[in-house]
Amino acid sequence: MENHGKRHGGRPSTSRRAFLATSAAASLTAGVAGCMGGSGSGSSEPVTYISNNNSPQFQEMLTGFADQFEEERGIEVDIEFTEIGGDYGQRVSQLIQAGNPPDIINAEQFRIGAYATQDILRPVDDIIEAVEEEEEEVQDKFGFVYEGANRLVPAVSSVTNNWYRTDVYDELGLDAPTTWEREREAAQAIMEADNDLYGLGYTTSATVYGSYHAWCRLWGNGAQVATRDGDTVEVALDSGANRDRVREVLERAQQMVEYSPTATNWDWGEIYESYAGGTTATAVYSGGRPKTQSIGQDREWADTTKRVNNSYNSSNQNSSLGNSAATGYALLQGSDNPEGAKEFVQYMVTGDRLVEYARALRFHNIPIYESWYEPGSAYREGWDYLNENFEEETIQSEREALFSDNTQPFTAETEPANPYASPAFTSFQLGQMFYDVTEGGLGIDEAIDQAATTLRENTGME
Amino acid sequence: MSTVSDGVRAVVPTRWQRKTNGVLASVFERDKTLLALCLTPALALFILIALLPMVWAFNLSLYEVSTLSPIWEWTGPGRLVDIVTSSGFQIAFGRSLVFGFGSVAFQLIAGVGLALLVNKEFKGAVLARALALLPYLVPAVVIGMVGQFMLNAQYGIINLLLLRVGVLDNPVAFLGLPETAMVTVMIVGSWKFAVFVTLLTLARLQSIPEHFYEGATMCGANAYQKFRDITLPRIKNVILIAALLRTLWMFNKFDIIYIMTRGGPGESTTTIPLLAYEIAFNQYNLGEAAGIAALMFVFLAAWSVLYFRVAEPEQEVRVA
Amino acid sequence: MTQVVGNYISYGQAARIKSVSYQIVVWATLLVLMFPIIWVIVGAFSGLDALLSGSLSAIFASVTIEPVRQVFFASNFFVYYRNSIVVAAGVVIFTVTASTLAGYGLTRVQFRGKKWFARLILFGYMFPPLLLSIPMYQIWRQLGLLNSHLGLILAESSVPLPFGIWTMWLFFQTVPLDYEESVWMAGGSRWHSFKDIALPQAAPGMIAVGIFAFQSSWNNYTYPKVLIAEDSLRPLTTGITQYAVQNYVFWNQVMAVVFTIIIPAFLLVYFLQKYLLEGYKATA
């Protein structure tokens, strides 16, 4: 009993003191950061950059850029290497919350909206102008405009590829999986041929890849996730004719999972591994990984792996609609050396550095400048990896797809761009909807309503 | 108060007191200085690493905060009520109960069994004990990765073996089906941590002097009686505290589940920590995530207080 | 002794059969328990292709030391290894010392609120750690302990310490006060009775705490991630993440890394219990 009383007497005051200490520490930190932020330009603070690629090869390359840059311009750059994925977001968030944001972060087009809507990204129009002067025009679809200003400096992009094994397709006399019907027929025929090979990897998972796959499938039927009404962005999944299109996609999903291994928890890794590992004959991917991985593993189908665009429902579309996902750099508000950061980003995305960087990505991500695809360009000339593994047809087909008007980022469903596309994407609700109607045992209409409601609650869309 | 020693010291000449270490000896002599030495490091770390961050997080849960913005807007304790009443939280909490208590039950049975098994002396016992403790030393992150690798439907060894033996006709995606995902995650997650129970129990078993058992044997006790009267009373409290700690840790377990399933398929393995993660880093709502974490803390604290009352794990038996 | 009378077997034979079958059970159980580790070792010496092929014979045919070699010659591997050892050693020493002292203090000094002090320190385990890294980063920054091994050792010690205190508290409770009192009777100081009487009897507990502290530091991923940004100070756990980059996992290299992580852990457990437990049993 005595102990009891003492506890009650003791704890509140401890908590209060602790709380005061924390808030003092927090405000001190914020204050210090504020002062530094104010005197940002021309400061001698090193430029800080949190990189999301920590493979030894990238570490060496980026450190090399930084050293070279410091030698040429006299500005120091500190790079911290973190792995891509959840950890990257956690690290950036930690630094922002501590009032110590880095100058430069890596940003993907489908994530950048989440940063932009918090008003923490600096405009980068001047960098893009300078880059265009040095290289060539940067198409709008590779950037991201928020409140009238560009917020992303794109470096490379990837495009929706429906990779398929021509060896299998040819042997069975199948057409390339360009349309829904052809894709389904091929999948069925491959399953029936019974050689331990599934028709395709039809993913129904609440993961990053699951979101990507779901969104591409919706576009294959001309269905939209969002629409704009003046200043507000609305969820379009469950309204009007669009709802019918979503329903058709989900009905087809129920059918297509029959031709796929269980893919209820697949992310990027599983889809390309299943293709390169010889389990599936067709795989939708953002970029070249199914092919580059097959090359890396020396598969006999590495050479016969070819691409077509995102498959579409030929009964109501007459062309494919695919996604382009640019990645590059963004600058954070409140950081110490924004001027130096601008110079360094511009340095990284131009000249030899961009060539070296793009090559290191092995044609998984591809250049955003059309002239680079010409044989003999600085990018292609003397690059054995590309010229020996990718036949001209595939290279030009990716180029054509990337620069076609039928290829757009997910943000382009609305005009001006939908800043909530990225929270919608990373909430995984689209993948969840596909899961609900296949493995999850929910009715199609129920699943659509549920996804739409959750998106309205969590993304800033109405 | 150690009055006995004080009393004894009063009648013992000073030169009899051995002073092997001047400073330490004098610190140990007085209760207050001994206590200060004993408890200060623990207390300081507790405040810096547990208390302050927890207060910060509790405070955070009362604000509307984006994960990506340093601006905090007051929203108040109503937030916690909203979370508790939301179906997403309730379902995830139910999964946490299944995962938490299910894993701990599994770990206790397997862990104590293993400890009893390798406690006996036989040729190679030292090696057997070291091997038995080994899973505990494998990083959790790695276990998640290796588990995922071994359970893969296409090339995983588990499927290969089960197919070869004939238990399965077709490969099964253990982590991809809602019926099997939770159980699989619980088993993989318990593989390592059952050994934590083994470690504690074994250490305790090893400190029971052999002559206790010899004496009992001479009195004609059978194996069960020896276990009940000698072993069990001595390992009871260690098991009780292991059960409590494991419960706290399993309820907050994140890495293994995240690596193996990301909370899927669908949301079938989304426990509270995964829900908090999803909300903080995919929906960018840091304040709400803090609220979810704070509620988890409240539940675990209430559970622990109840557990302390009922089980009294700190009252070790006195062995005179 | 081993005389056989009719259908009966002698006591000695029965005991031997019992002992052999017991050992079979033990090793069979361990084999099942060890299976994931065995598979890690197989993986560490296999080709990536074979591992992903889904064929056992391909896996066993692809034996190679290449993954282990690649890991060993990877940039900074030995630097990470050294950092891990330094930090783990620091954490073990700090934790075992602090929890032994606290355990002794809690049993030998009576004070009000003792029980609640011990209970309160467990509350640190109750908050989901996910969000605590943000304030922790801020506090360590204020203290100037970011990017230092000392800062990392202190932070990582916070994990095993509450557990260690409880374990040692429970262990010291079983060391009868009588023995110590007799030392004091003989004129020994309390320091002496602690060092020579209480401590040896609590040795198994200290080993358990030591192993716990070691594994906790050796496997800690979150704290170095939050507190160490400089590559040359990183321990293995955060240093080696480069084997799983951008959705591309080099499984055999990951296994090779795990293999090298497990070895020192195994040696530690083996020798710790071999020497210390046997030493203890001899004196008990």
Side-chain angles (χ1 to χ4, degrees), chain A residues 3 28-29 54 80-81 83-84 87 91 94-95 98 100 272 289 293 297, chain C residues 49 52 113 133-134 137 141-142 221 225-226 229 234 241-242 245-248:
Chain A
N3 290 345
L28 183 62
T29 322
N54 66 344
E80 181 186 329
F81 294 96
E83 59 268 51
I84 197 167
D87 282 327
R91 184 64 177 161
Q94 226 166 56
L95 296 170
N100 185 27
Y272 76 69
R289 200 79 81 191
Q293 187 73 6
Q297 291 185 19
Chain C
D49 251 19
L52 297 177
S133 61
I134 293 169
Y137 175 83
R141 197 156 92 105
Q142 295 292 321
Y221 178 77
K225 175 118 224 145
V226 176
R234 279 179 174 159
T241 49
Q242 62 206 38
V245 290
Q246 287 213 320
N247 315 313
Y248 188 107

mmCIF file of all heavy atoms in Angstrom, chain A residues 3 28-29 54 80-81 83-84 87 91 94-95 98 100 272 289 293 297, chain C residues 49 52 113 133-134 137 141-142 221 225-226 229 234 241-242 245-248:
data_model
loop_
_atom_site.group_PDB
_atom_site.id
_atom_site.type_symbol
_atom_site.label_atom_id
_atom_site.label_comp_id
_atom_site.label_asym_id
_atom_site.label_seq_id
_atom_site.Cartn_x
_atom_site.Cartn_y
_atom_site.Cartn_z
ATOM 1 N N ASN A 3 3.853 1.501 -1.080
ATOM 2 C CA ASN A 3 4.467 1.592 -2.403
ATOM 3 C C ASN A 3 3.521 2.254 -3.388
ATOM 4 O O ASN A 3 3.901 3.056 -4.212
ATOM 5 C CB ASN A 3 4.800 0.193 -2.924
ATOM 6 C CG ASN A 3 5.937 -0.413 -2.141
ATOM 7 O OD1 ASN A 3 6.625 0.311 -1.429
ATOM 8 N ND2 ASN A 3 6.089 -1.714 -2.261
ATOM 9 N N LEU A 28 14.819 23.744 -28.955
ATOM 10 C CA LEU A 28 16.195 24.168 -29.182
ATOM 11 C C LEU A 28 16.643 23.705 -30.566
ATOM 12 O O LEU A 28 17.185 24.474 -31.360
ATOM 13 C CB LEU A 28 17.099 23.566 -28.106
ATOM 14 C CG LEU A 28 18.571 23.972 -28.174
ATOM 15 C CD1 LEU A 28 18.712 25.473 -27.983
ATOM 16 C CD2 LEU A 28 19.379 23.229 -27.120
ATOM 17 N N THR A 29 16.358 22.438 -30.837
ATOM 18 C CA THR A 29 16.742 21.878 -32.127
ATOM 19 C C THR A 29 16.103 22.659 -33.255
ATOM 20 O O THR A 29 16.760 23.044 -34.216
ATOM 21 C CB THR A 29 16.274 20.412 -32.239
ATOM 22 O OG1 THR A 29 16.453 19.813 -30.976
ATOM 23 C CG2 THR A 29 17.038 19.692 -33.285
ATOM 24 N N ASN A 54 22.568 1.746 -51.918
ATOM 25 C CA ASN A 54 23.808 1.529 -51.178
ATOM 26 C C ASN A 54 24.574 0.307 -51.658
ATOM 27 O O ASN A 54 25.327 -0.281 -50.917
ATOM 28 C CB ASN A 54 23.533 1.444 -49.675
ATOM 29 C CG ASN A 54 22.725 0.225 -49.326
ATOM 30 O OD1 ASN A 54 22.126 -0.389 -50.203
ATOM 31 N ND2 ASN A 54 22.707 -0.153 -48.064
ATOM 32 N N GLU A 80 24.976 10.101 -47.322
ATOM 33 C CA GLU A 80 24.681 8.985 -46.427
ATOM 34 C C GLU A 80 23.953 7.923 -47.245
ATOM 35 O O GLU A 80 22.968 8.212 -47.914
ATOM 36 C CB GLU A 80 23.796 9.447 -45.265
ATOM 37 C CG GLU A 80 23.492 8.329 -44.288
ATOM 38 C CD GLU A 80 22.484 8.741 -43.215
ATOM 39 O OE1 GLU A 80 22.463 9.930 -42.848
ATOM 40 O OE2 GLU A 80 21.742 7.868 -42.776
ATOM 41 N N PHE A 81 24.438 6.700 -47.161
ATOM 42 C CA PHE A 81 23.836 5.635 -47.968
ATOM 43 C C PHE A 81 22.861 4.814 -47.134
ATOM 44 O O PHE A 81 23.203 4.295 -46.078
ATOM 45 C CB PHE A 81 24.927 4.739 -48.556
ATOM 46 C CG PHE A 81 25.782 5.454 -49.544
ATOM 47 C CD1 PHE A 81 26.992 6.020 -49.154
ATOM 48 C CD2 PHE A 81 25.378 5.602 -50.853
ATOM 49 C CE1 PHE A 81 27.781 6.702 -50.056
ATOM 50 C CE2 PHE A 81 26.159 6.285 -51.775
ATOM 51 C CZ PHE A 81 27.364 6.838 -51.372
ATOM 52 N N GLU A 83 19.349 1.989 -47.536
ATOM 53 C CA GLU A 83 18.747 1.162 -48.573
ATOM 54 C C GLU A 83 17.384 1.702 -48.975
ATOM 55 O O GLU A 83 16.718 2.409 -48.221
ATOM 56 C CB GLU A 83 18.676 -0.306 -48.183
ATOM 57 C CG GLU A 83 17.895 -0.552 -46.946
ATOM 58 C CD GLU A 83 18.789 -0.537 -45.740
ATOM 59 O OE1 GLU A 83 19.560 0.428 -45.562
ATOM 60 O OE2 GLU A 83 18.718 -1.489 -44.969
ATOM 61 N N ILE A 84 16.989 1.294 -50.166
ATOM 62 C CA ILE A 84 15.721 1.744 -50.727
ATOM 63 C C ILE A 84 14.581 1.078 -49.956
ATOM 64 O O ILE A 84 14.770 0.096 -49.259
ATOM 65 C CB ILE A 84 15.661 1.387 -52.220
ATOM 66 C CG1 ILE A 84 14.570 2.186 -52.924
ATOM 67 C CG2 ILE A 84 15.448 -0.109 -52.416
ATOM 68 C CD1 ILE A 84 14.663 2.110 -54.416
ATOM 69 N N ASP A 87 12.943 1.764 -45.162
ATOM 70 C CA ASP A 87 13.977 2.372 -44.340
ATOM 71 C C ASP A 87 14.341 3.765 -44.821
ATOM 72 O O ASP A 87 14.683 4.628 -44.037
ATOM 73 C CB ASP A 87 15.227 1.503 -44.355
ATOM 74 C CG ASP A 87 15.061 0.313 -43.440
ATOM 75 O OD1 ASP A 87 14.379 0.473 -42.416
ATOM 76 O OD2 ASP A 87 15.593 -0.754 -43.754
ATOM 77 N N ARG A 91 14.236 7.140 -42.499
ATOM 78 C CA ARG A 91 15.414 7.957 -42.236
ATOM 79 C C ARG A 91 15.121 9.423 -42.569
ATOM 80 O O ARG A 91 15.448 10.321 -41.797
ATOM 81 C CB ARG A 91 16.588 7.433 -43.080
ATOM 82 C CG ARG A 91 17.892 8.144 -42.822
ATOM 83 C CD ARG A 91 18.353 7.922 -41.410
ATOM 84 N NE ARG A 91 19.643 8.548 -41.158
ATOM 85 C CZ ARG A 91 20.088 8.820 -39.940
ATOM 86 N NH1 ARG A 91 19.349 8.499 -38.881
ATOM 87 N NH2 ARG A 91 21.244 9.389 -39.754
ATOM 88 N N GLN A 94 12.861 10.886 -39.970
ATOM 89 C CA GLN A 94 13.599 11.130 -38.736
ATOM 90 C C GLN A 94 14.338 12.468 -38.772
ATOM 91 O O GLN A 94 14.290 13.252 -37.834
ATOM 92 C CB GLN A 94 14.669 10.052 -38.665
ATOM 93 C CG GLN A 94 14.852 9.362 -37.374
ATOM 94 C CD GLN A 94 15.697 8.138 -37.647
ATOM 95 O OE1 GLN A 94 16.798 8.244 -38.184
ATOM 96 N NE2 GLN A 94 15.180 6.988 -37.327
ATOM 97 N N LEU A 95 15.015 12.708 -39.905
ATOM 98 C CA LEU A 95 15.808 13.922 -40.024
ATOM 99 C C LEU A 95 14.901 15.147 -40.110
ATOM 100 O O LEU A 95 15.199 16.190 -39.535
ATOM 101 C CB LEU A 95 16.726 13.829 -41.248
ATOM 102 C CG LEU A 95 17.765 12.713 -41.148
ATOM 103 C CD1 LEU A 95 18.475 12.496 -42.477
ATOM 104 C CD2 LEU A 95 18.792 13.033 -40.069
ATOM 105 N N ALA A 98 13.520 15.879 -36.699
ATOM 106 C CA ALA A 98 14.552 16.387 -35.793
ATOM 107 C C ALA A 98 14.965 17.807 -36.165
ATOM 108 O O ALA A 98 15.852 18.383 -35.547
ATOM 109 C CB ALA A 98 15.766 15.462 -35.814
ATOM 110 N N ASN A 100 16.430 18.652 -38.884
ATOM 111 C CA ASN A 100 17.751 18.536 -39.478
ATOM 112 C C ASN A 100 17.638 17.927 -40.869
ATOM 113 O O ASN A 100 18.298 16.947 -41.180
ATOM 114 C CB ASN A 100 18.576 17.609 -38.552
ATOM 115 C CG ASN A 100 20.004 17.495 -38.978
ATOM 116 O OD1 ASN A 100 20.541 18.404 -39.606
ATOM 117 N ND2 ASN A 100 20.628 16.370 -38.652
ATOM 118 N N TYR A 272 9.739 -10.606 -60.644
ATOM 119 C CA TYR A 272 10.815 -10.852 -61.603
ATOM 120 C C TYR A 272 11.517 -12.177 -61.323
ATOM 121 O O TYR A 272 11.977 -12.850 -62.236
ATOM 122 C CB TYR A 272 11.804 -9.677 -61.687
ATOM 123 C CG TYR A 272 12.783 -9.561 -60.553
ATOM 124 C CD1 TYR A 272 13.794 -10.491 -60.382
ATOM 125 C CD2 TYR A 272 12.730 -8.502 -59.660
ATOM 126 C CE1 TYR A 272 14.702 -10.384 -59.347
ATOM 127 C CE2 TYR A 272 13.627 -8.394 -58.623
ATOM 128 C CZ TYR A 272 14.609 -9.343 -58.469
ATOM 129 O OH TYR A 272 15.494 -9.244 -57.441
ATOM 130 N N ARG A 289 13.664 -5.321 -65.203
ATOM 131 C CA ARG A 289 14.211 -6.360 -64.336
ATOM 132 C C ARG A 289 13.948 -7.806 -64.783
ATOM 133 O O ARG A 289 14.863 -8.624 -64.718
ATOM 134 C CB ARG A 289 13.723 -6.145 -62.898
ATOM 135 C CG ARG A 289 14.575 -6.845 -61.864
ATOM 136 C CD ARG A 289 15.868 -6.152 -61.522
ATOM 137 N NE ARG A 289 15.680 -5.087 -60.570
ATOM 138 C CZ ARG A 289 16.622 -4.182 -60.268
ATOM 139 N NH1 ARG A 289 17.790 -4.233 -60.845
ATOM 140 N NH2 ARG A 289 16.377 -3.241 -59.398
ATOM 141 N N GLN A 293 17.369 -9.621 -65.202
ATOM 142 C CA GLN A 293 17.601 -10.700 -64.249
ATOM 143 C C GLN A 293 17.806 -12.033 -64.985
ATOM 144 O O GLN A 293 18.649 -12.837 -64.594
ATOM 145 C CB GLN A 293 16.420 -10.803 -63.284
ATOM 146 C CG GLN A 293 16.613 -11.775 -62.149
ATOM 147 C CD GLN A 293 17.591 -11.265 -61.115
ATOM 148 O OE1 GLN A 293 18.066 -10.120 -61.186
ATOM 149 N NE2 GLN A 293 17.925 -12.107 -60.155
ATOM 150 N N GLN A 297 21.124 -14.277 -64.761
ATOM 151 C CA GLN A 297 21.118 -15.676 -64.354
ATOM 152 C C GLN A 297 21.401 -16.607 -65.531
ATOM 153 O O GLN A 297 21.270 -17.814 -65.409
ATOM 154 C CB GLN A 297 19.770 -16.040 -63.726
ATOM 155 C CG GLN A 297 19.540 -15.365 -62.380
ATOM 156 C CD GLN A 297 18.253 -15.825 -61.717
ATOM 157 O OE1 GLN A 297 17.707 -16.866 -62.045
ATOM 158 N NE2 GLN A 297 17.764 -15.044 -60.774
ATOM 159 N N ASP C 49 22.117 -19.293 -58.937
ATOM 160 C CA ASP C 49 21.260 -19.945 -59.920
ATOM 161 C C ASP C 49 20.621 -21.210 -59.393
ATOM 162 O O ASP C 49 19.421 -21.417 -59.498
ATOM 163 C CB ASP C 49 22.146 -20.361 -61.093
ATOM 164 C CG ASP C 49 21.857 -19.517 -62.268
ATOM 165 O OD1 ASP C 49 21.272 -18.436 -62.048
ATOM 166 O OD2 ASP C 49 22.210 -19.927 -63.369
ATOM 167 N N LEU C 52 17.971 -20.799 -56.804
ATOM 168 C CA LEU C 52 16.688 -20.329 -57.317
ATOM 169 C C LEU C 52 16.067 -21.324 -58.290
ATOM 170 O O LEU C 52 14.997 -21.081 -58.848
ATOM 171 C CB LEU C 52 16.867 -18.969 -58.006
ATOM 172 C CG LEU C 52 17.344 -17.834 -57.100
ATOM 173 C CD1 LEU C 52 17.566 -16.564 -57.904
ATOM 174 C CD2 LEU C 52 16.358 -17.562 -55.984
ATOM 175 N N GLY C 113 9.453 0.894 -2.249
ATOM 176 C CA GLY C 113 9.199 1.030 -3.687
ATOM 177 C C GLY C 113 10.133 0.189 -4.535
ATOM 178 O O GLY C 113 10.214 0.360 -5.747
ATOM 179 N N SER C 133 12.489 5.897 -32.527
ATOM 180 C CA SER C 133 13.773 6.272 -33.100
ATOM 181 C C SER C 133 13.855 7.769 -33.373
ATOM 182 O O SER C 133 14.936 8.343 -33.347
ATOM 183 C CB SER C 133 14.014 5.487 -34.385
ATOM 184 O OG SER C 133 13.009 5.790 -35.320
ATOM 185 N N ILE C 134 12.719 8.394 -33.602
ATOM 186 C CA ILE C 134 12.757 9.825 -33.911
ATOM 187 C C ILE C 134 13.233 10.646 -32.693
ATOM 188 O O ILE C 134 14.206 11.384 -32.797
ATOM 189 C CB ILE C 134 11.394 10.312 -34.448
ATOM 190 C CG1 ILE C 134 11.127 9.665 -35.810
ATOM 191 C CG2 ILE C 134 11.369 11.820 -34.569
ATOM 192 C CD1 ILE C 134 9.721 9.854 -36.324
ATOM 193 N N TYR C 137 16.952 9.876 -31.823
ATOM 194 C CA TYR C 137 17.905 10.580 -32.667
ATOM 195 C C TYR C 137 18.116 11.995 -32.127
ATOM 196 O O TYR C 137 19.243 12.473 -32.010
ATOM 197 C CB TYR C 137 17.388 10.617 -34.106
ATOM 198 C CG TYR C 137 18.245 11.423 -35.045
ATOM 199 C CD1 TYR C 137 19.372 10.859 -35.629
ATOM 200 C CD2 TYR C 137 17.943 12.754 -35.327
ATOM 201 C CE1 TYR C 137 20.175 11.589 -36.480
ATOM 202 C CE2 TYR C 137 18.732 13.493 -36.183
ATOM 203 C CZ TYR C 137 19.847 12.915 -36.760
ATOM 204 O OH TYR C 137 20.641 13.651 -37.594
ATOM 205 N N ARG C 141 21.524 13.425 -30.441
ATOM 206 C CA ARG C 141 22.140 14.563 -31.121
ATOM 207 C C ARG C 141 22.473 15.650 -30.103
ATOM 208 O O ARG C 141 23.552 16.231 -30.135
ATOM 209 C CB ARG C 141 21.180 15.104 -32.180
ATOM 210 C CG ARG C 141 21.850 15.993 -33.215
ATOM 211 C CD ARG C 141 21.043 16.004 -34.495
ATOM 212 N NE ARG C 141 20.082 17.104 -34.489
ATOM 213 C CZ ARG C 141 20.252 18.219 -35.203
ATOM 214 N NH1 ARG C 141 21.321 18.366 -35.957
ATOM 215 N NH2 ARG C 141 19.349 19.153 -35.176
ATOM 216 N N GLN C 142 21.520 15.894 -29.183
ATOM 217 C CA GLN C 142 21.752 16.896 -28.138
ATOM 218 C C GLN C 142 22.936 16.514 -27.262
ATOM 219 O O GLN C 142 23.705 17.353 -26.835
ATOM 220 C CB GLN C 142 20.511 17.050 -27.245
ATOM 221 C CG GLN C 142 19.297 17.612 -27.951
ATOM 222 C CD GLN C 142 19.481 19.057 -28.341
ATOM 223 O OE1 GLN C 142 20.059 19.828 -27.580
ATOM 224 N NE2 GLN C 142 19.032 19.427 -29.521
ATOM 225 N N TYR C 221 19.649 -3.778 -35.168
ATOM 226 C CA TYR C 221 19.614 -3.174 -36.491
ATOM 227 C C TYR C 221 19.143 -1.729 -36.384
ATOM 228 O O TYR C 221 19.661 -0.829 -37.038
ATOM 229 C CB TYR C 221 18.666 -3.998 -37.348
ATOM 230 C CG TYR C 221 18.463 -3.501 -38.743
ATOM 231 C CD1 TYR C 221 19.436 -3.707 -39.715
ATOM 232 C CD2 TYR C 221 17.304 -2.838 -39.091
ATOM 233 C CE1 TYR C 221 19.244 -3.257 -41.000
ATOM 234 C CE2 TYR C 221 17.108 -2.392 -40.378
ATOM 235 C CZ TYR C 221 18.075 -2.600 -41.329
ATOM 236 O OH TYR C 221 17.878 -2.138 -42.596
ATOM 237 N N LYS C 225 21.240 1.984 -37.101
ATOM 238 C CA LYS C 225 20.597 2.625 -38.250
ATOM 239 C C LYS C 225 20.280 4.087 -37.929
ATOM 240 O O LYS C 225 20.481 4.983 -38.737
ATOM 241 C CB LYS C 225 19.304 1.857 -38.517
ATOM 242 C CG LYS C 225 18.455 2.414 -39.548
ATOM 243 C CD LYS C 225 18.331 1.420 -40.663
ATOM 244 C CE LYS C 225 18.492 2.205 -41.911
ATOM 245 N NZ LYS C 225 19.151 1.552 -42.946
ATOM 246 N N VAL C 226 19.793 4.309 -36.717
ATOM 247 C CA VAL C 226 19.395 5.656 -36.327
ATOM 248 C C VAL C 226 20.612 6.504 -35.952
ATOM 249 O O VAL C 226 20.689 7.675 -36.290
ATOM 250 C CB VAL C 226 18.428 5.589 -35.127
ATOM 251 C CG1 VAL C 226 18.078 6.984 -34.633
ATOM 252 C CG2 VAL C 226 17.172 4.838 -35.499
ATOM 253 N N ALA C 229 25.614 7.257 -39.008
ATOM 254 C CA ALA C 229 25.433 7.550 -40.432
ATOM 255 C C ALA C 229 26.739 7.335 -41.182
ATOM 256 O O ALA C 229 26.760 7.245 -42.395
ATOM 257 C CB ALA C 229 24.953 8.984 -40.613
ATOM 258 N N ARG C 234 29.889 1.750 -38.952
ATOM 259 C CA ARG C 234 28.726 0.881 -38.939
ATOM 260 C C ARG C 234 29.085 -0.548 -38.533
ATOM 261 O O ARG C 234 30.113 -1.065 -38.929
ATOM 262 C CB ARG C 234 28.082 0.823 -40.335
ATOM 263 C CG ARG C 234 27.200 2.007 -40.584
ATOM 264 C CD ARG C 234 26.595 1.937 -41.971
ATOM 265 N NE ARG C 234 25.634 3.024 -42.118
ATOM 266 C CZ ARG C 234 25.232 3.503 -43.289
ATOM 267 N NH1 ARG C 234 25.705 2.999 -44.401
ATOM 268 N NH2 ARG C 234 24.370 4.481 -43.331
ATOM 269 N N THR C 241 23.761 -4.478 -45.542
ATOM 270 C CA THR C 241 22.476 -4.473 -46.240
ATOM 271 C C THR C 241 22.648 -4.371 -47.748
ATOM 272 O O THR C 241 21.698 -4.523 -48.479
ATOM 273 C CB THR C 241 21.616 -3.288 -45.780
ATOM 274 O OG1 THR C 241 22.421 -2.133 -45.828
ATOM 275 C CG2 THR C 241 21.095 -3.517 -44.389
ATOM 276 N N GLN C 242 23.863 -4.131 -48.181
ATOM 277 C CA GLN C 242 24.090 -3.978 -49.612
ATOM 278 C C GLN C 242 23.871 -5.268 -50.408
ATOM 279 O O GLN C 242 23.867 -5.236 -51.622
ATOM 280 C CB GLN C 242 25.507 -3.460 -49.849
ATOM 281 C CG GLN C 242 26.559 -4.408 -49.354
ATOM 282 C CD GLN C 242 27.852 -3.683 -49.006
ATOM 283 O OE1 GLN C 242 27.832 -2.580 -48.473
ATOM 284 N NE2 GLN C 242 28.958 -4.299 -49.316
ATOM 285 N N VAL C 245 19.765 -5.240 -52.566
ATOM 286 C CA VAL C 245 19.558 -3.881 -53.046
ATOM 287 C C VAL C 245 18.470 -3.825 -54.087
ATOM 288 O O VAL C 245 18.382 -4.694 -54.950
ATOM 289 C CB VAL C 245 20.850 -3.284 -53.637
ATOM 290 C CG1 VAL C 245 21.833 -3.018 -52.536
ATOM 291 C CG2 VAL C 245 21.449 -4.201 -54.674
ATOM 292 N N GLN C 246 17.671 -2.787 -53.995
ATOM 293 C CA GLN C 246 16.668 -2.508 -55.023
ATOM 294 C C GLN C 246 15.976 -3.772 -55.503
ATOM 295 O O GLN C 246 15.990 -4.096 -56.682
ATOM 296 C CB GLN C 246 17.339 -1.812 -56.201
ATOM 297 C CG GLN C 246 17.682 -0.391 -55.866
ATOM 298 C CD GLN C 246 17.577 0.496 -57.078
ATOM 299 O OE1 GLN C 246 17.950 0.136 -58.170
ATOM 300 N NE2 GLN C 246 17.040 1.686 -56.878
ATOM 301 N N ASN C 247 15.361 -4.486 -54.596
ATOM 302 C CA ASN C 247 14.568 -5.662 -54.927
ATOM 303 C C ASN C 247 15.386 -6.805 -55.509
ATOM 304 O O ASN C 247 14.867 -7.722 -56.103
ATOM 305 C CB ASN C 247 13.469 -5.323 -55.926
ATOM 306 C CG ASN C 247 12.760 -4.069 -55.549
ATOM 307 O OD1 ASN C 247 12.391 -3.903 -54.398
ATOM 308 N ND2 ASN C 247 12.587 -3.184 -56.492
ATOM 309 N N TYR C 248 16.666 -6.716 -55.391
ATOM 310 C CA TYR C 248 17.518 -7.743 -55.973
ATOM 311 C C TYR C 248 18.289 -8.382 -54.830
ATOM 312 O O TYR C 248 19.108 -7.741 -54.210
ATOM 313 C CB TYR C 248 18.467 -7.087 -56.972
ATOM 314 C CG TYR C 248 19.269 -8.055 -57.791
ATOM 315 C CD1 TYR C 248 18.981 -8.259 -59.133
ATOM 316 C CD2 TYR C 248 20.328 -8.755 -57.232
ATOM 317 C CE1 TYR C 248 19.720 -9.138 -59.888
ATOM 318 C CE2 TYR C 248 21.057 -9.649 -57.976
ATOM 319 C CZ TYR C 248 20.758 -9.833 -59.318
ATOM 320 O OH TYR C 248 21.484 -10.706 -60.063
#
